[in-house]
Structure formats: structure tokens, C-alpha cells
Amino acid sequence: MILSETLCSRPAGTLPPQGRGRGFRHAVALRPGLTLARADVTYNRANELTLECPGTFLRLHFRLNGETAIAGTSGDYTTVSAGSILILAQPADCKKRERVDFDARERSVTLICNADYAASLFSPDMTLPTCVTDFLRSELSDLSSESLPMPMK
């Protein structure tokens, strides 16, 4: 696989840390519809962010360090802890709310698939987490997620 030389400075739903902390967010398009994002950010204040998320995406978020809480436009917050994999299904034009604490450090790697790329990888007939099946069937109106422990091997 050849990585694209084109860097994506802001894939949908991410923000640079300017004014919120120090560190970086970096993304690279691997193929059309597939982006790899990585972050190493330490927040300089507690933040409650609302991120506009244009487009429809399936995210596989590997949280290496730090803790945050996320929610869609409505609903309860879900904690995302170090050592977890968050599968996040994002329907078109939803909002993502995120809370981080003062001096929280986020280190993460995220694979971001658009709807077409995700549909080429998975079939709704496969045994998949409910949020992925609902995403593939376009049955979501807000963020939906499932968190799994990251295997240590």
C-alpha cells in the first residue's frame, strides 16, 4: 500500500490543539475514503467541545493514553479510557460533544472510513457491533459507539 503524500490537516470532526493545549493532531489519507489520524495533545484547561462533523464516517479509535468523554447531539456521555478501542459510527452532519479535563493527555491513533469505504470492508450481514451494522444500513440519527478493551498481544 502506498501512502498518499497529501496531508489532511483537518479530517472531519478533529480540531488542532491551538488555544486548547499543546501537541499535535496529524492525519494522512491512505486511500480515497480511508484516513489515519494520530494525536498527542495535552490540554491546558478543561474543555467541553462541540464539534461539527460533516459527512458520514466510521471511526476505529485506539486510545493509548488519557481519558475523555464523548456524546452525540443528545444522550449520555461515554467514557473513552486508555487501553480501549472505541468504534464510533457517525451519521451525516451530526455533532460530537467531548469533555476533557485540565492537563489530560491524549495519545491516540484513529482509522477513519467514509461510508463507501466502510461498506466495501463490511457487510450488514456480518456479525458486527450493533453500531456498525446500523451505520452500514444508514439507520443512525446520532453518534453510536461501542468500546472494547485493546488486546495486549
Side-chain angles (χ1 to χ4, degrees), residues 78-99:
T78 298
T79 300
V80 183
S81 302
S84 67
I85 302 168
L86 180 72
I87 302 168
L88 183 65
Q90 172 193 313
D93 304 322
C94 72
K95 292 183 180 178
K96 176 180 151 193
R97 297 178 295 148
E98 185 167 0
R99 288 192 307 220

Side-chain angles (χ1 to χ4, degrees), residues 28-89:
V28 62
L30 301 175
R31 300 188 163 217
L34 180 64
T35 299
L36 175 70
R38 63 188 177 109
D40 190 344
V41 176
T42 301
Y43 294 91
N44 60 10
R45 64 179 186 248
N47 284 288
E48 195 154 328
L49 309 168
T50 299
L51 307 172
E52 297 287 335
C53 299
T56 304
F57 296 94
L58 181 66
R59 299 169 187 266
L60 303 175
H61 178 80
F62 297 80
R63 181 60 69 134
L64 306 172
N65 195 332
E67 186 172 285
T68 189
I70 64 154
T73 304
S74 59
D76 295 330
Y77 279 90
T78 298
T79 300
V80 183
S81 302
S84 67
I85 302 168
L86 180 72
I87 302 168
L88 183 65

Side-chain angles (χ1 to χ4, degrees), residues 2-152:
I2 298 173
L3 296 180
S4 168
E5 294 297 322
T6 305
L7 297 180
C8 303
S9 60
R10 284 189 66 193
T14 65
L15 292 174
Q18 290 101 343
R20 293 180 175 90
R22 61 192 178 282
F24 67 88
R25 290 188 186 274
H26 181 257
V28 62
L30 301 175
R31 300 188 163 217
L34 180 64
T35 299
L36 175 70
R38 63 188 177 109
D40 190 344
V41 176
T42 301
Y43 294 91
N44 60 10
R45 64 179 186 248
N47 284 288
E48 195 154 328
L49 309 168
T50 299
L51 307 172
E52 297 287 335
C53 299
T56 304
F57 296 94
L58 181 66
R59 299 169 187 266
L60 303 175
H61 178 80
F62 297 80
R63 181 60 69 134
L64 306 172
N65 195 332
E67 186 172 285
T68 189
I70 64 154
T73 304
S74 59
D76 295 330
Y77 279 90
T78 298
T79 300
V80 183
S81 302
S84 67
I85 302 168
L86 180 72
I87 302 168
L88 183 65
Q90 172 193 313
D93 304 322
C94 72
K95 292 183 180 178
K96 176 180 151 193
R97 297 178 295 148
E98 185 167 0
R99 288 192 307 220
V100 294
D101 291 329
F102 167 74
D103 211 30
R105 181 176 183 199
E106 173 191 349
R107 285 182 47 239
S108 63
V109 175
T110 307
L111 286 171
I112 306 166
C113 306
N114 69 15
D116 291 338
Y117 197 89
S120 73
L121 291 175
F122 307 111
S123 160
D125 300 328
M126 298 170 84
T127 302
L128 298 166
T130 302
C131 66
V132 176
T133 302
D134 290 347
F135 174 84
L136 293 171
R137 292 183 177 146
S138 300
E139 295 177 355
L140 295 176
S141 60
D142 201 359
L143 289 180
S144 182
S145 66
E146 184 170 327
S147 185
L148 307 167
M150 194 180 306
M152 297 310 290

